[in-house]
Amino acid sequence: MMDAFSVAVLILLVAVAAGLDPSQCIAPLGMESGSIKDSDIAASSSFDNKNVGPQHGRMRMELNGGAWCPQTPATAELKEWLEIDFHTVHMITGSGTQGRFGNGQGAEFAEAYMLEYWRPSLSKWIRYRNHLGEEVIKGNINTYLESKSLLDPPIIANKVRFLPYSYHKRTVCMRVELYGCRWTDGIVSYSMPQGDKRGANWEFYDNAYDGHWDGEKLKHGLGQLTDGKVAPDDFKVPFYEQSVQGWVGWKNDTRENKPIEITFEFDRVREFTAVHIYCNNQFTKDVQVFSTATVLFSVGGKRYKGEPITFDYIEDRIFESPRNVSIKLHHRVGRFVKLQVQFAARWMLLSEVTFDSTVVNGNITEEEELPEETNLQKDQIATPGMDSKNIISAVNTPSGLGQYLGIVVGFLAVIIVLILVVVVFIYIQNRRYKSSPRPSQVPGGCDKAALYREPPDPEYAVPLQQPHTSRPPPNVQNFFPKAPPIPPPPERYYAATEICNTGFVPPPPPLSTPPPVRLSRQPRYVTSARTYIGP
Ligand SMILES: *[C@@H]1O[C@H](CO)[C@@H](O)[C@H](O)[C@H]1NC(C)=O
Ligand SMILES: *[C@@H]1O[C@H](CO)[C@@H](O)[C@H](O)[C@H]1NC(C)=O
Ligand SMILES: *[C@@H]1O[C@H](CO)[C@@H](O)[C@H](O)[C@H]1NC(C)=O
């Protein structure tokens, strides 16, 4: 039972974690608390490793020298850095710095700094720029106060570097913290054609994209489609002060009616249940949700195997509000997902793409590289008796089914336990209820249960007549000298007087041997009431 509980709790946690909201992703990531280990903090150099090494660059800590101090002074050249390695991908929404207080002895702090970050899909360190394109982040004005900056757009990275910056040569020391959360979506990059310009006013480029732009295609980076923020309903409203729209958009004109292809790369092989695409639908301005979406899956990134999932969107030319279109992905497995979206109008604008997925455990990557050609549809992963030659399906079927079963079993177990608790509660309540006398029900404090004594056969239940309404039982012998032999109700059919306290005297039991009845004067006999109705 505990296992079922933990499964259910886990499901709840996963469900909570799946919807990553940047406004909730603000926790300190472990410099101050120590959850980032000393061995995961590195630096380009230190003035004195023991006293002011990178391990002392922790926010609000006063150990040894009391901060990290690089060997050379800060300049505009950015030679020195302090690096934090999270090992897994994190969404970082804020950064904070402090100077070296050193119990009042310190005098060094960084007035400005820059950030660089690294992700597996990026082959190099990327300099962080905010939505205004600025790289320099304001630092400290004294040795003790924290200077905290929001990072908009957020950084999605495994490793982050702080680079002290100064227009003039300046000796600096730093203590730092990063704020954010784990990146549960698992997307490490997406590749697609860069967006298009619309007239002179609107540029539907992916401005936040941090990968490579070869003039046409965007590669290896992340940007507006994964920044966790939706664009305003009206694409004409600038997202920021600049002409940045928040929408990435393409026009059909030069694309010969070909779909837009977006390839997502994930950190691990995952099993997908859904993709959600946030689309604009201002049809009066030539913008509409895609007409068809096709989704393909690959483990290695080269071959997209199995039947694609296709989804047709029924066009809506009534409501112009943007919408979150969800497509079920039927537990398909891969590390790469290719999304092809077909134009329904001249323009197509997207703001966010999120996936619901879970990591698949097992050694799948290696097996995918086997030179085996399979045409089996992975969509039918759960069908029994399928071709076991398809290694990917074979590897993932238990996991997929197991996951599904786990969820179902977990929820059923929780529901059963809840029902049991409710039943036990009602039973206890009922017992308490019954055991206490309820004078309001029966005059004279007589419990209803005491009025009837249930014989083994409920059909023979005998009502107890109230003293004022009960007539003395007729003298059977007088009325019907020849009554048929009637089985006498046993003694226990009668209420016990001591329960009722009404001074009621139960009627005497019927005669054990009633006289035989005369045929001409057959009495009517009501079984259920066991009373004689006079002829
Ligand atoms: C779209 O819907 C899904 C599921 O309800 C949700 O997880 C996702 O955050 C939504 N996306 C946007 C941009 O609202
Ligand atoms: C897209 O452009 C092609 C010509 O390149 C045209 O034939 C097609 O109708 C257009 N589609 C939409 C949805 O506007
Ligand atoms: C996966 O299996 C291959 C052999 O098939 C092995 O060489 C490799 O180390 C395994 N990888 C992992 C992560 O277990």
Side-chain angles (χ1 to χ4, degrees), residues 364-395:
I364 294 154
T365 317
E366 313 295 328
E367 282 156 336
E368 203 269 343
E369 305 304 333
L370 290 175
E372 189 172 352
E373 267 317 311
T374 51
N375 300 318
L376 197 113
Q377 296 181 12
K378 275 190 282 170
D379 208 9
Q380 301 168 345
I381 256 166
T383 37
M386 57 165 202
D387 186 358
S388 59
K389 274 185 185 169
N390 188 323
I391 290 159
I392 292 165
S393 299
V395 165

Side-chain angles (χ1 to χ4, degrees), residues 48-53 55-56 61-67 100-103:
D48 162 6
N49 197 52
K50 188 168 166 287
N51 279 310
V52 289
Q55 70 277 14
H56 299 309
M61 297 297 271
E62 289 282 355
L63 296 167
N64 295 33
R100 185 177 83 90
F101 181 64
N103 295 315

Side-chain angles (χ1 to χ4, degrees), residues 444-446 450 453 494-504 506:
C446 185
R453 288 296 176 88
Y494 288 86
T497 42
E498 59 271 19
I499 297 173
C500 292
N501 299 325
T502 53
F504 165 65

Side-chain angles (χ1 to χ4, degrees), residues 252-258 342-347:
N252 176 33
D253 302 26
T254 55
R255 295 178 198 276
E256 297 165 334
N257 220 20
K258 286 207 183 93
Q342 183 66 51
F343 288 92
R346 195 168 162 227
W347 282 90

Side-chain angles (χ1 to χ4, degrees), residues 18-20 228-230 275-278 323-326 351-356:
L20 206 58
K229 280 190 301 190
V230 296
V275 58
H276 312 284
I277 309 167
Y278 192 77
R323 61 221 50 208
N324 192 7
V325 180
S326 296
S351 172
E352 282 292 301
V353 180
T354 52
F355 287 86
D356 295 343

Side-chain angles (χ1 to χ4, degrees), residues 450-453 462-464 489-496 506-510 530:
L451 283 171
Y452 295 90
R453 288 296 176 88
V462 177
L464 175 71
E491 289 277 13
R492 67 179 192 278
Y493 285 18
Y494 288 86
R530 184 64 50 98

